[in-house]
Amino acid sequence: MDRAPSPRSAALGLLCGIGAAFFWALGFVAARQGIEAGLSPFVIALDRFVWPGLALLPVVAADGFRDLGGLGWRRATALALFGGLPLALLAYVGYVFVPLGHGGVIQPSCAALGGLILARLVLKEPLPPRRIAGALLIVVGLAVIGSEALRTMGAQGVLGDLLFVLAGCFFATFGILVRRWQIAPLRAAAITSVLSLAGLPILLFSWDNLLASSFLENLMQAVVQGALTGAGATYLFARTVVLLGAGRAVLFPSLVPPFTLLVGFLALGEVPSVSQLIGLVVVVVGFQLTQKG
């Protein structure tokens, strides 16, 4: 059980946890805005990893590329697959088909649900009734949102939602691998970002799209996706774990869906539908239950 933090650590940990959730939400909103502005999901996905990858390249190089500081290429490739460029592509392509409320709720929820299932299957963690109830509530909330996609957007909406489901499952797998192999969060972020530089040739096919977008649009995506959502959120969440303990820190990702809808409304004017709001409330309640014993 996590030991109670001091008042100063609790306050700082609270700010770090809220900041991490806000940065993650900001990444969803910026991606949706970029798609609406005509920016390719491939370009946005690369913004998420290229700039941190270039910045962190010396850190990874210092550990040596032969075995990546003992991690090994097999494990590093798995981390990059489930937590790097493929994850970002799944998330950002989804916004081509469905609105912000779907991605901002479905992906974090499926990450929590997938993490719960994998923790039981892979790490043999206990699954008490309270967590099972929370998982079932998440499924109900996702069904509410998914039914809206089927009802109002047809096959295209279902495809977009499924991409977010897959993205959430990818992130859950990434988290389980980090825990199973006991990799420090910042090191995991460095490895995934650097190995995601392998996707740079994609820019050759997206160059016209990159140039067609304004300089400010590209700069905004680079700052939000690369600096804030990537390195910034990872660092803040890692600090939250240190200051508050893992048991308390895991509650903060539940703030991502409401933050996403709020920021999306203020910045983009996207008004959540009734189905999205109902699904959000059900999912957040379920999310809270899954994080308690």
Side-chain angles (χ1 to χ4, degrees), residues 108-132:
S109 302
C110 286
L113 187 60
L116 194 69
I117 295 171
L118 289 173
R120 174 58 183 164
L121 295 177
V122 178
L123 304 180
K124 308 303 180 184
E125 291 188 358
L127 195 59
R130 189 181 186 117
R131 290 186 177 178
I132 295 175

Side-chain angles (χ1 to χ4, degrees), residues 136-163:
L136 292 175
L137 273 179
I138 290 177
V139 172
V140 171
L142 293 176
V144 171
I145 297 174
S147 65
E148 180 193 53
L150 181 61
R151 187 175 65 252
T152 62
M153 291 169 272
Q156 174 177 294
V158 174
L159 174 60
D161 282 359
L162 288 177
L163 288 173

Side-chain angles (χ1 to χ4, degrees), residues 37-121:
L39 201 59
S40 166
F42 296 96
V43 174
I44 300 175
L46 283 169
D47 277 329
R48 170 70 174 79
F49 291 104
V50 165
W51 311 115
L54 292 174
L56 295 170
L57 186 59
V59 176
V60 176
D63 288 333
F65 284 106
R66 180 179 295 275
D67 65 350
L68 298 172
L71 179 62
W73 278 94
R74 181 182 62 83
R75 290 184 174 184
T77 301
L79 289 178
L81 172 63
F82 291 107
L85 188 59
L87 165 64
L89 286 174
L90 289 171
Y92 299 153
V93 171
Y95 283 123
V96 174
F97 305 107
V98 294
L100 177 66
H102 286 240
V105 176
I106 292 174
Q107 184 175 332
S109 302
C110 286
L113 187 60
L116 194 69
I117 295 171
L118 289 173
R120 174 58 183 164
L121 295 177

Side-chain angles (χ1 to χ4, degrees), residues 186-238:
L186 293 181
R187 187 181 181 211
I191 291 292
T192 54
S193 296
V194 170
L195 266 62
S196 291
L197 291 175
L200 276 175
I202 296 176
L203 280 181
L204 297 177
F205 302 99
S206 305
W207 192 250
D208 290 342
N209 178 261
L210 182 67
L211 295 180
S213 303
S214 69
F215 171 77
L216 288 179
E217 178 66 37
N218 283 289
L219 179 62
M220 185 271 289
Q221 294 294 338
V223 171
V224 172
Q225 305 296 348
L228 301 183
T229 305
T234 300
Y235 172 77
L236 288 175
F237 189 69

